[in-house]
């Protein structure tokens, strides 16, 4: 599911047939629409839920304020929680099953200029850690994927890709897909993409002063850029 129906239909055709639901996940009725589609077209069977839709809109809190925090929370956290709540009964009834939530390395290490994005991704990571413990006994494995920089439509990572010195930092959607599989049916609790990015999270915990010093004054150049419908990356 996503908002652009035409693209969903093209993908379904490429896959040789799939049920598609075109909806904005931040809308009130979206979770119920997905659940109804699964009940009517898939006999209520659901073995893997991937909560991937997300977006980032740069800006310092002093300039973008609560509006930008709310916008991030609505898509990157609230929508995930609401969809999961609507589909949990189907996942339990279909167990063994899995949920994979896509957070971000920014959900473990915050940078300036993307505090709203980090707030939502930190929330998602914390909630996922708890859900992992709660739903295991019900036969649902809950995994977390924390990508670093990945070149996509919404996060083109132009500043990094254009410079030879930083190009190596940028990963691919295929690698994220592998990580999603590992964190879902593969049974892993969490996966960074690329894997060495876990070092950033560990360093933030064991040497926070060092990380603060390294990030001071920065955050404007390599922060994830935009969501699909956001203003272009600058
Ligand atoms: N790329 C990176 O560097 C990076 C790094 C860390 C984490 N992540 C996370 O990875 C996930 C995927 O990001 P991406 O890089 O693939 O971004 P993307 O290219 O912008 O793709 C976002 C996807 O979500 C859908 N979507 C966006 N808003 C939606 C809404 N309101 N309702 C329903 N669907 C919506 C989009 O389709 P429509 O526009 O058709 O709705 C699109 O399929 C996000 O959660 C992002 O935060 C990405």
């Amino acid at each position: 599911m996503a908002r652009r129906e035409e693209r969903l239909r093209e993908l379904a055709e490429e896959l040789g047939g799939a049920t598609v639901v075109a909806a904005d996940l931040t809308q009130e009725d979206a979770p119920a629409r997905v659940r109804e589609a699964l009940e009517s077209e898939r006999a209520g069977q659901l073995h893997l839920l991937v909560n991937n839709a997300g977006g980032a809109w740069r800006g310092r809190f002093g300039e973008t304020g609560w509006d930008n925090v709310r916008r991030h929370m609505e898509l990157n956290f609230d929508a995930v929680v609401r969809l999961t709540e609507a589909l949990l009964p189907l996942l339990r009834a279909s167990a063994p099953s899995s949920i994979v939530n896509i957070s971000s390395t920014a959900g473990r290490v915050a940078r300036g200029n993307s505090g709203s994005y980090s707030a939502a991704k930190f929330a998602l990571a914390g909630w996922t850690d708890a859900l992992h413990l709660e739903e295991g006994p019900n036969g649902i494995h809950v995994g977390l994927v924390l990508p670093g920089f990945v070149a996509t439509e919404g996060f083109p990572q132009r500043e990094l890709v254009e410079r030879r010195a930083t190009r190596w930092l940028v990963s691919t959607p295929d690698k994220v897909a592998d990580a999603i599989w590992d964190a879902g049916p593969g049974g892993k609790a969490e996966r960074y993409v690329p894997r060495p990015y876990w070092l950033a999270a560990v360093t933030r915990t064991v040497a926070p002063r060092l990380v603060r010093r390294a990030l001071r004054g920065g955050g404007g150049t390599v922060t994830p850029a935009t969501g699909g419908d956001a203003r272009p990356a600058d």
Side-chain angles (χ1 to χ4, degrees), residues 26 29 47-48 52 98 102 108 112 117 142-143 175 190 198:
T26 62
D29 64 343
H47 295 281
L48 172 61
N52 174 67
S98 330
I102 314 299
R108 299 285 197 209
Y117 181 69
V142 181
K175 293 205 171 114
E190 67 177 30
W198 68 270

Side-chain angles (χ1 to χ4, degrees), residues 3-4 23-25 52 103-104 117 121 148 150 152 154-155 157:
R3 291 164 300 178
R4 285 168 289 178
D24 181 340
L25 276 166
N52 174 67
S103 176
S104 169
Y117 181 69
K121 293 298 191 180
V150 185
T152 61
F155 296 75
Q157 311 295 1

Side-chain angles (χ1 to χ4, degrees), residues 1-5 7-8 21-27 30 51-57 74-76 79-80 101-107 117 121 124 145-157 170-171 173 176 180 193 222-229:
M1 73 161 300
R3 291 164 300 178
R4 285 168 289 178
E5 186 163 10
R7 295 191 51 173
L8 287 173
V21 180
D24 181 340
L25 276 166
T26 62
Q27 294 301 300
N51 285 309
N52 174 67
W57 299 272
E74 276 174 2
L75 176 59
N76 295 293
V80 175
N101 290 337
I102 314 299
S103 176
S104 169
T105 306
Y117 181 69
K121 293 298 191 180
L124 182 60
V145 171
L146 304 111
F149 303 109
V150 185
T152 61
E153 179 191 22
F155 296 75
Q157 311 295 1
V170 181
S171 193
V176 181
I180 289 172
V193 191
V222 291
T223 312
T226 66
D229 65 349

